[in-house]
Every structure is written in C-alpha cells, then in structure tokens.
C-alpha cells in the first residue's frame, strides 16, 4: 500500500508542490505552483504515483476493453509509460505537432477504430490540455470516457470535463494537499489560507470559459492553432488580410444579376454565398466569371446547397459542386457518415484540397424543427471531421467553443426584424457580440438596397468593428 500522506510530503520536499507567489503562463499570479515534471528525477516517487494510477485502473471494473493508455504530453508521458508496463495495457502517444510528412498521423501506436482510451494527466486547471488530447483521440475514432489526473487545482476544470461527459478521477486535490502539509508543519496557517482563498477566488466560469475561448481569440491566432485545418486557416487569413467578416447571400434571379451584384459587393466580402440552382441562366461562362471575380477581389464562393441525403448520394451531388465552389453547406440530418462521402471526394480531387464544408447546426427561421440535442450532435460531427469542416451555421453563442471552427450566422438586416416567410433578423452588432458569429450573412439587406456597394461597405464596417471590439474586451 502506498502511504499517500508520505507521498505528498515527498512531493513537497522535491519541490513538485511549491507555495508562495508565482506567475502562470497566462500572466496571472498564483499562490501555489505544481511542477510534476521534476518527478522523473526521483524514480521512487514516480513509482509510487504510477502504482496509485495503476491501482485505480485495475480496481475499476467498468472500464471498457480493448483499452489503451495515453498520457497528455509531456509531463504525463513517463507516468503513462510506467502504468502501461504495470497494467499490461498498451499505450498511445498523441503528437503535439502533427507530422507534415508521411502519414500525418495524430496518434502513434496501434489501435482499431472504436477502441477505448484512458487519458492520464499530471495537473488539471481549466482542462484545456486534456481536451486537446481527448479531441485528437476522438478525431482518430477512439473512444475516451476516463481521465486520470494526479492533482486537481480545484478551479473548475474537473467539472468542465464532467460536463463534457468524461469521468475524471483525481488522486489528490489542492485542498487535501495543503491540509496535510499544514498538519505536518510544512505550511504556515497564512500560507494555507492564501491557497484556500486563491482557489475560491479563481474559479473558471465553465460556460463562459468555453465560449470565450472562441469569441475572444483573434482570427489571426485562430488560424495559427495546431488544430485548425488548412481550409479553415485559409478563410481566417483571408478575413484578416481583407479586414472583413461579411458574407453576402446573392439570392438574385438571373446569372446577369448575379455577376452585377457580385462585382458591386466584391471589395467588401470574405464569402459570396449562392444558391446556384435558384438562379436562371447560369452557364459555365457565368461560373468562370464568378471565379475570376473571386480571384481578383480575394473572396471565396460558397454554394449553400444544404445537402442532406445518404452518403452515396451526397457524394454524387458534391462531385458536381467541388469543381467550382470553395465551400458548401450540408445538413447533419443523415449523421456523420454522410460527411465521409464529401471527405472522399475532397481527398480524391487532391488538386482541389482547398475545399471545405459548413454544417447547419441551427436555422434562422421561425418554427424550424432543430432541437438542442440535434445541434449538440452536429457539433460532435464537426469535431470528428475537422479536416473538412470549416464551420457551423448557427444562431446562438453557445454552440461552438472550439476556436478552430467558424460560426457563420445568416439572418442579418438593419431595416427589418422578419420577412413574411418566417425569416428572423438581427442587427450586425448583436450578431457578432451577442450571438457570437464570426462571419455574418446578409442577403436582401444588401442586394435589394438602392446602392448595394455602399450598403455592403456599411455592413462590412459595422461587422468588422464589432469583431475588433469583441476580441479587445
Ligand atoms: P436574407 O435575404 O438576408 O434573409 O438571406 C439569408 C440567406 O441565408 C439566404 O440565402 C438563406 O438561404 C440563408 N440561410 C438563412 O437565412 N437561414 C439559415 O438558417 C440558413 C441559411 Br442555414
């Protein structure tokens, strides 16, 4: 049996647990610092920690097999290795940097689709680094239900992961640690109280934390994140370069009108959204001219087809769209497998791998049948197909937390709040600040205006300035 009290004292002695005032990576000052990296220099202590982790795995009869272990890089890697040898459970390693050559694998080690993984981490604060590892495992079709953490800083990370459906087991928490160290005379009453107060005053707001991560991060930074796909990067970069997050829906009746309105709004948009099947007289030449304008004015073309059939049909439909549209919209009604059809087309047309998908997670019209559960499942699909999914089309701020996914929100108009067919509108500043949109879609508000070019400029300025305000608050 491992003496847990003695283990805490040893961790304090080797300065894996430090008390005083420390600056964290975030710049914030903390009253304690946990540095379990030093444990590798003390094999006996490492041995004891690993025995506790192994025992907790072996005593849990609910853990599903086949099972692998995965340590969050880097501190938990040696711990996971020893536990793997102790328990005879194979290990997986998540690459922190995705390989740019060869197989581009995120996860090293042998596994089959649907295998289970226990994630091991040294310290939990917000749960962010655990989530990064969990997401990559899930993205590689692995199933994660359990997380084992050595020390919980008790700032809300554990609750955040639990909310995401993960079972988290912590060997120690900071209150237990400071209580034992105080009893042992290693901490003064004041030091003890400082830590207790610090923890109480530094709770992360779980819902806010997840949302802020996306809405508070600049497009520039979001483009640089490891998890951001090539096509999503391209969209972010274009927006930053051109200083616009306006998408115009050019729902006009004829090909001629389409080209006219496109030319008028082109300098102000990041995306031109069309329903090509609703426009009369569109020929190959129309598409060519549209593409020329896209190149000249640096915007992307989105076909808002909202595909919704079985995978095979969607694949056939998409083959007709991929040649000319950079982006396409799909419904998630047929489930994630349908996206595989699109993925296959994109992978096959490798010279066209500048292609991406937006999935509809919510609709703007009154009385639509999408439920909260449907929206949640749609987000999961987006996470599983991050290589091709650029964003989600949705109406509310709390749908997307991942900074590498874009929120596109239609239903924007400054003159009216609805139409007679159920469409609901919001004003530009609300759509960015309150609804959390990254890109806003404006249709009739612009193409029906007396001066579409001037109106597009005005929407663009309002939307972009509100975005700048959002990231600066
Ligand atoms: P409007 O003219 O600004 O109402 O045009 C909105 C566009 O966005 C139009 O092309 C719709 O098909 C599209 N849209 C939408 O309005 N609401 C939604 O929920 C989705 C798409 Br998804």
């Amino acid at each position: 049996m491992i003496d847990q009290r003695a283990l805490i004292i040893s961790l304090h002695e080797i300065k894996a647990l430090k008390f005083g005032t420390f600056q964290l990576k975030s710049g914030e000052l903390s009253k304690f610092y946990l540095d379990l990296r030093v444990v590798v220099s003390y094999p006996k202590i490492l041995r004891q920690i690993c025995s506790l982790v192994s025992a907790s795995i072996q005593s849990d009869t609910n853990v599903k097999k086949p099972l692998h272990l995965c340590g969050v890089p880097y501190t938990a890697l040696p711990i996971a290795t020893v536990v793997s040898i102790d328990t005879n459970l194979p290990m997986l390693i998540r690459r922190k940097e995705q390989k740019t050559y060869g197989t581009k694998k995120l996860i090293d080690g042998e596994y089959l689709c649907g295998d289970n993984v226990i994630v091991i981490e040294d310290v939990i604060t917000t749960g962010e680094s655990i989530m990064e590892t969990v997401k990559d495992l899930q993205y590689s079709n692995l199933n994660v239900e359990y997380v084992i953490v050595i020390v919980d800083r008790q700032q809300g990370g554990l609750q955040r992961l639990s909310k995401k459906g993960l079972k988290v087991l912590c060997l120690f928490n900071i209150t237990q640690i400071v209580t034992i160290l105080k009893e042992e005379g290693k901490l003064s009453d004041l030091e003890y109280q400082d830590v207790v107060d610090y923890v109480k005053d530094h709770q992360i707001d779980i819902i806010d934390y997840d949302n802020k991560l996306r809405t508070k991060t600049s497009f520039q930074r979001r483009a640089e994140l490891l998890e951001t796909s090539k096509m999503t990067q391209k969209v972010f970069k274009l927006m930053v370069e051109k200083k616009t997050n306006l998408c115009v829906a050019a729902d006009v009746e004829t090909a001629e009108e389409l080209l006219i309105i496109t030319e008028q709004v082109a300098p102000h948009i990041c995306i031109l959204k069309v329903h090509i099947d609703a426009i009369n007289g569109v020929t190959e030449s129309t598409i060519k001219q549209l593409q020329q304008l896209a190149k000249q004015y640096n915007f992307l073309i989105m076909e808002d087809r909202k595909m919704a059939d079985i995978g095979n049909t969607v694949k056939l439909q998409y083959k007709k769209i991929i040649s000319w549209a950079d982006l396409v919209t799909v419904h998630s009604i047929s489930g994630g497998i349908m996206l595989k059809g699109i993925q296959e087309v994109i992978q096959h047309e490798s010279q066209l791998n500048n292609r991406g998908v937006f999935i509809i997670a919510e609709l703007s019209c009154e009385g639509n049948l999408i439920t909260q559960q449907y929206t949640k499942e749609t987000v999961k699909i987006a996470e599983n197909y991050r290589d091709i999914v650029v964003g989600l089309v949705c109406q509310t701020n709390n749908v997307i937390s991942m900074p590498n996914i874009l929120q596109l929100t239609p239903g924007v108009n400054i003159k009216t709040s609805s139409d007679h067919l159920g469409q609901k509108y919001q004003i530009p500043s609300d759509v960015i600040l309150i609804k959390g949109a990254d890109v806003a879609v404006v249709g009739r508000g612009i193409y029906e205006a007396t001066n579409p070019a001037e109106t597009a400029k005005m929407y663009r300025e309002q939307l972009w300035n509100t975005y700048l305000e959002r990231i600066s608050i």
Side-chain angles (χ1 to χ4, degrees):
M1 273 291 280
I2 308 290
D3 180 345
Q4 300 200 14
R5 198 176 182 89
L7 177 55
I8 287 177
I9 297 167
S10 308
L11 286 170
H12 182 240
E13 272 164 10
I14 65 167
K15 297 194 169 55
L17 315 172
K18 291 192 266 201
F19 302 90
T21 304
F22 304 90
Q23 187 159 29
L24 300 178
K25 253 193 282 176
S26 60
E28 204 179 274
L29 294 179
S30 171
K31 286 290 166 192
F32 64 101
Y33 190 67
L34 309 175
D35 182 9
L36 271 76
R37 279 170 300 192
V38 298
V39 167
V40 288
S41 302
Y42 302 89
K44 258 196 197 153
I45 298 176
L46 178 63
R47 166 79 274 160
Q48 290 177 356
I49 292 175
C50 296
S51 297
L52 288 174
V53 177
S54 303
S56 61
I57 294 174
Q58 281 160 335
S59 66
D60 197 331
T61 47
N62 291 326
V63 203
K64 289 188 205 142
K65 304 266 167 68
L67 187 62
H68 305 258
L69 303 175
C70 180
V72 175
Y74 293 98
T75 313
L77 287 180
I79 301 174
T81 312
V82 176
V83 175
S84 162
I85 294 166
D86 276 354
T87 54
N88 202 25
L89 290 168
M91 207 167 91
L92 295 172
I93 296 187
R94 170 189 172 241
R95 291 179 170 276
K96 260 198 117 163
E97 297 79 24
Q98 196 173 348
K99 274 205 301 193
T100 49
Y101 56 92
T103 53
K104 283 207 175 173
K105 270 170 74 175
L106 291 170
I107 307 294
D108 283 329
E110 287 178 14
Y111 58 90
L112 294 174
C113 186
D115 280 0
N116 299 292
V117 187
I118 293 183
V119 170
I120 301 174
E121 172 66 310
D122 59 336
V123 175
I124 179 168
T125 310
T126 62
E128 201 43 42
S129 47
I130 294 176
M131 273 322 293
E132 277 180 18
T133 296
V134 169
K135 281 185 201 158
D136 276 350
L137 290 165
Q138 288 172 338
Y139 185 57
S140 307
N141 291 315
L142 286 152
N143 182 33
V144 186
E145 280 179 19
Y146 265 90
V147 180
I148 300 182
V149 177
I150 314 303
V151 185
D152 176 13
R153 286 181 60 112
Q154 292 182 292
Q155 289 175 249
L158 191 145
Q159 287 76 1
R160 182 171 166 232
L161 296 193
S162 304
K163 272 204 149 183
K164 290 183 185 290
L166 295 166
K167 291 178 203 145
V168 191
L169 186 121
C170 296
L171 298 186
F172 305 107
N173 65 43
I174 192 65
T175 311
Q176 269 176 322
I177 290 175
V178 289
T179 306
I180 289 175
L181 292 175
K182 189 176 83 148
E183 286 168 3
E184 293 290 331
K186 309 276 180 196
L187 277 190
S188 66
D189 287 356
L190 190 67
E191 283 172 315
Y192 168 86
Q193 202 51 47
D194 268 357
V195 172
V196 172
D197 291 346
Y198 174 85
V199 170
K200 204 168 84 212
D201 296 341
H202 290 80
Q203 291 294 307
I204 58 162
D205 179 331
I206 301 173
I207 297 174
D208 241 37
Y209 186 86
D210 274 353
N211 289 337
K212 274 187 187 152
L213 198 64
R214 176 179 66 83
T215 54
K216 292 280 169 206
T217 311
S218 70
F219 295 146
Q220 175 79 45
R221 175 79 192 102
R222 287 167 67 184
E224 288 160 2
L225 295 173
L226 174 68
E227 293 179 338
T228 307
S229 77
K230 285 270 169 323
M231 187 58 190
T232 314
Q233 277 177 20
K234 182 170 168 172
V235 182
F236 279 133
K237 284 180 183 161
L238 192 160
M239 288 159 72
V240 173
E241 242 173 72
K242 214 173 154 180
K243 295 193 175 52
T244 174
N245 52 346
L246 168 66
C247 163
V248 164
D251 297 332
V252 289
E253 283 179 22
T254 66
E256 254 186 0
E257 288 172 273
L258 171 66
L259 293 172
I260 294 171
I261 191 76
T262 302
E263 194 149 18
Q264 288 172 328
V265 301
H268 306 295
I269 58 173
C270 56
I271 299 172
L272 178 83
K273 190 177 84 60
V274 292
H275 294 281
I276 214 76
D277 53 354
I279 303 176
N280 293 315
V282 174
T283 60
E284 269 183 32
S285 148
T286 320
I287 298 291
K288 260 209 185 114
Q289 292 178 68
L290 212 54
Q291 286 173 325
Q292 270 163 7
L293 288 170
K295 210 167 171 196
Q296 184 184 345
Y297 290 99
N298 193 22
F299 63 83
L300 298 167
I301 304 173
M302 171 187 277
E303 164 60 1
D304 192 4
R305 188 65 61 92
K306 300 193 180 66
M307 293 187 286
D309 215 310
I310 59 163
N312 189 57
T313 308
V314 163
K315 189 171 169 179
L316 293 171
Q317 291 173 314
Y318 185 49
K319 278 185 186 165
K320 296 252 182 202
I321 298 172
I322 190 171
S323 58
W324 64 274
D326 305 287
L327 300 161
V328 71
T329 56
V330 301
H331 275 299
S332 52
I333 187 82
S334 304
I337 193 74
M338 179 263 280
L339 271 251
K340 197 158 189 301
I342 295 192
Q343 197 178 41
E344 283 177 9
V345 182
I346 293 180
Q347 281 165 358
H348 186 251
E349 313 276 326
S350 57
Q351 79 279 19
L352 293 173
N353 66 3
N354 282 336
R355 294 292 186 252
V357 176
F358 274 79
I359 317 183
I360 317 298
E362 288 177 328
L363 285 161
S364 63
C365 52
E366 217 169 44
N368 72 77
L369 303 181
I370 290 184
T371 61
Q372 276 184 1
Q373 187 61 26
Y374 181 97
T375 303
K376 265 194 184 162
E377 295 296 327
T378 304
V379 175
K380 277 194 202 158
I381 294 174
E383 287 186 346
N384 287 338
Y385 286 91
R386 272 188 311 192
D387 58 336
I388 57 163
V389 175
V390 171
L392 293 172
V393 187
C394 60
Q395 294 292 320
T396 46
N397 187 15
N398 53 6
V399 176
I400 312 169
S401 56
M402 306 78 79
N404 54 334
I405 300 238
L406 245 116
Q407 174 173 337
L408 182 100
T409 304
V412 183
N413 199 310
I414 46 169
K415 289 233 165 101
T416 174
S417 61
S418 61
D419 69 9
H420 75 290
L421 295 174
Q423 175 71 307
K424 288 275 177 215
Y425 289 115
Q426 316 167 65
I427 57 168
S429 54
D430 282 358
V431 94
I432 302 293
L433 277 183
I434 302 172
K435 306 295 175 183
D438 296 315
V439 178
V441 180
V442 186
R444 282 162 283 182
I446 289 176
Y447 68 78
E448 283 183 353
T450 340
N451 186 337
E454 270 305 306
T455 313
K457 181 167 177 278
M458 186 263 295
Y459 272 97
R460 174 229 194 132
E461 280 166 5
Q462 283 191 23
L463 290 166
W464 189 255
N465 289 337
T466 317
Y467 152 72
L468 292 177
E469 186 187 329
R470 181 175 91 183
I471 56 167
S472 70
I473 300 170

